[in-house]
Amino acid sequence: MSQQKIWLSSPHMGGTERNFVTEAFDTNWVAPLGPNVNGFENDLQLYQGQDTHVAALSSGTAAIHLALIQCGVEAGDEVICQSFTFCGSINPIKYLGAKPVLVDSESTTWNMCPIHLEEAIKHRIKQGKKPKAIVAVHLYGMPYQVDLINKVASKYDIPVVEDSAEALGSTYKGQKCGTFGRFGILSFNGNKIITTSGGGAMVCHSQEDKKQTVFLATQARDEAAHYEHTTIGYNYRLSNISAGIGRGQMEVLDRHIGLRRKMHEFYIEQFKNIEGVSVFSEPSSDYFSNHWLSAILINPSKTNGITREDLRHAFAKADIESRPLWKPMHLQPIFKDAPYYGSGIAEELFETGLCLPSGSNLTNDDRERIQKVIFELFKSA
Ligand SMILES: *Cc1c(COP(=O)(O)O)cnc(C)c1O
């Protein structure tokens, strides 16, 4: 008897996505513009609140690229980035010929440490170069320490590019993630909390910023009957087909966040009596995570020697996907020469952490299979 693989996070359609896509076909809006693009942007603006202006783009990575350009980042400039993140946060710095400066995490939200951030800024300024932008990330849906990061950023007058790719629907002090930075970034890749099969968005705070984003994302065409160009542009707009999927997904977003948060509660229940395993959770009521991925830390000195790898292998044997946390960028061969400011928090998270199946489409049978693996492995501990 074959059973299906349990994934970390897989697409979960609500049902109406197909209607929007069919409508696009019926009206021949099969292009990187059209009513679904406008409708999806409208849905996102209403959802984000705060008078936001949203531009739908082809990916989250593209959004970060355009945000950095609009922060004035050019070849040779330095940009500060959280080291503990996915490569999509940092690669656009290199696209521009700029230099990443990496900053460690703090242990409560696993995101950018405000103390090391200030240390990095001060040191770079002393070296003669003030960083042009800060890329801060809400990893796994957990908001970073927004007030403290913003305080440092505004003290030195450096714009924040808020990588909210994993945090659509998360809030800090009641305000949506993606609305705190000079620009906010969203992703709708296949494994994210909602998907358009591939896509992203830029959350702006003015109509001018949105207009400039769309301009850059559509090959930077100046106003003329012919094609006239005074700036280098990109082909980064979202297609009207993909945006149709997005409109359907927006209808179920909050329900799916509720289901992801239930998965997080499920893991709290599973590990509550297992010493040496902690489930990543909000540090206070100021933080509301969409719990895009549930994650744990395993301390082998308290689990009778059971490690993160032991659990990962036990899951794999049962055809259940789990994955180590992001490998910090300062440990990646490609970024090994980047300056790094930290004290080992990100390394430790990478050594001891594991992401667990978290999808909003997991069933009771799936949960039973997961539970069984955990129980069998830790019963000796
Ligand atoms: C997914 C992701 C991105 C990039 O988004 P894409 O749409 O896949 O290009 C950037 N940053 C983080 C933290 C992500 O998880």
Side-chain angles (χ1 to χ4, degrees):
M1 204 184 75
S2 75
Q3 52 184 4
Q4 284 203 325
K5 179 161 178 151
I6 298 176
W7 300 98
L8 268 191
S9 176
S10 65
H12 185 190
M13 294 299 105
T16 61
E17 293 85 357
R18 257 178 222 268
N19 304 344
F20 290 106
V21 172
T22 301
E23 194 180 306
F25 273 82
D26 290 347
T27 53
N28 206 28
W29 278 106
V30 188
L33 79 168
N36 281 337
V37 173
N38 300 338
F40 186 41
E41 288 179 342
N42 224 24
D43 291 346
L44 287 166
Q45 282 165 190
L46 286 174
Y47 190 79
Q48 293 296 96
Q50 307 295 321
D51 288 325
T52 48
H53 301 262
V54 174
L57 300 171
S58 54
S59 73
T61 308
I64 294 176
H65 190 186
L66 296 186
L68 292 173
I69 291 172
Q70 288 176 91
C71 289
V73 175
E74 292 178 356
D77 285 339
E78 293 190 348
V79 175
I80 292 183
C81 185
Q82 184 166 321
S83 181
F84 185 56
T85 187
F86 172 63
C87 68
S89 306
I90 185 172
N91 282 342
I93 299 170
K94 299 292 277 188
Y95 300 169
L96 291 165
K99 295 178 188 154
V101 171
L102 299 168
V103 168
D104 202 1
S105 293
E106 36 79 14
S107 57
T108 58
T109 75
W110 298 2
N111 293 312
M112 188 177 272
C113 170
I115 296 163
H116 287 306
L117 170 63
E118 182 156 25
E119 179 198 348
I121 295 172
K122 278 188 176 158
H123 190 248
R124 298 326 289 175
I125 290 174
K126 236 198 207 150
Q127 303 289 303
K129 209 144 204 173
K130 184 173 148 182
K132 272 285 182 69
I134 297 165
V135 181
V137 193
H138 307 292
L139 275 190
Y140 306 119
M142 186 65 71
Y144 57 72
Q145 296 182 340
V146 174
D147 285 348
L148 294 175
I149 295 293
N150 277 353
K151 198 170 151 198
V152 176
S154 51
K155 180 171 168 189
Y156 295 91
D157 195 23
I158 303 174
V160 175
V161 173
E162 184 190 359
D163 183 345
S164 199
E166 303 180 359
L168 179 60
S170 297
T171 64
Y172 175 78
K173 294 186 174 171
Q175 185 178 328
K176 289 270 162 47
C177 287
T179 64
F180 294 104
R182 171 77 175 76
F183 294 99
I185 264 75
L186 302 173
S187 168
F188 317 114
N189 206 346
N191 57 352
K192 296 286 155 67
I193 197 139
I194 63 167
T195 180
T196 58
S197 74
M202 178 98 85
V203 182
C204 305
H205 295 282
S206 72
Q207 188 57 34
E208 296 83 76
D209 279 353
K210 175 178 171 176
K211 209 174 146 203
Q212 181 65 8
T213 302
V214 172
F215 171 73
L216 290 170
T218 49
Q219 305 288 26
R221 274 185 72 186
D222 294 335
E223 262 176 64
H226 60 277
Y227 279 64
E228 178 81 11
H229 304 280
T230 47
T231 311
I232 292 294
Y234 302 85
N235 185 2
Y236 278 171
R237 204 66 166 121
L238 187 69
S239 102
N240 194 57
I241 302 295
S242 300
I245 304 173
R247 287 178 85 179
Q249 289 272 276
M250 286 305 286
E251 294 178 359
V252 290
L253 172 56
D254 279 334
R255 180 145 40 95
H256 288 187
I257 290 172
L259 292 165
R260 298 240 178 195
R261 288 178 56 84
K262 281 229 168 84
M263 282 309 296
H264 172 254
E265 281 167 28
F266 164 79
Y267 288 116
I268 288 186
E269 190 60 29
Q270 299 315 304
F271 291 109
K272 73 174 183 209
N273 295 320
I274 301 178
E275 224 203 314
V277 181
S278 57
V279 179
F280 184 38
S281 299
E282 288 99 333
S284 80
S285 59
D286 286 346
Y287 297 80
F288 176 90
S289 171
N290 64 14
H291 288 296
W292 168 59
L293 291 185
S294 288
I296 53 170
L297 298 179
I298 301 184
N299 178 351
S301 69
K302 290 186 180 161
T303 56
N304 229 349
I306 296 171
T307 65
R308 178 286 296 287
E309 283 302 276
D310 294 331
L311 180 57
R312 191 172 68 81
H313 287 129
F315 275 137
K317 245 196 201 155
D319 213 13
I320 298 169
E321 186 185 28
S322 65
R323 192 185 295 148
L325 304 185
W326 299 123
K327 181 174 180 179
M329 290 300 136
H330 69 279
L331 302 180
Q332 298 285 0
I334 191 77
F335 296 116
K336 66 180 190 319
D337 296 329
Y340 167 67
Y341 299 84
S343 48
I345 301 285
E347 273 116 336
E348 195 182 324
L349 292 169
F350 175 59
E351 291 301 322
T352 61
L354 193 68
C355 294
L356 306 173
S358 308
S360 45
N361 49 3
L362 296 177
T363 64
N364 283 336
D365 281 353
D366 294 335
R367 277 182 285 275
E368 265 174 40
R369 277 169 62 193
I370 293 166
Q371 184 168 34
K372 204 168 144 225
V373 170
I374 296 169
F375 178 78
E376 290 294 325
L377 182 68
F378 284 96
K379 71 181 174 195
S380 61

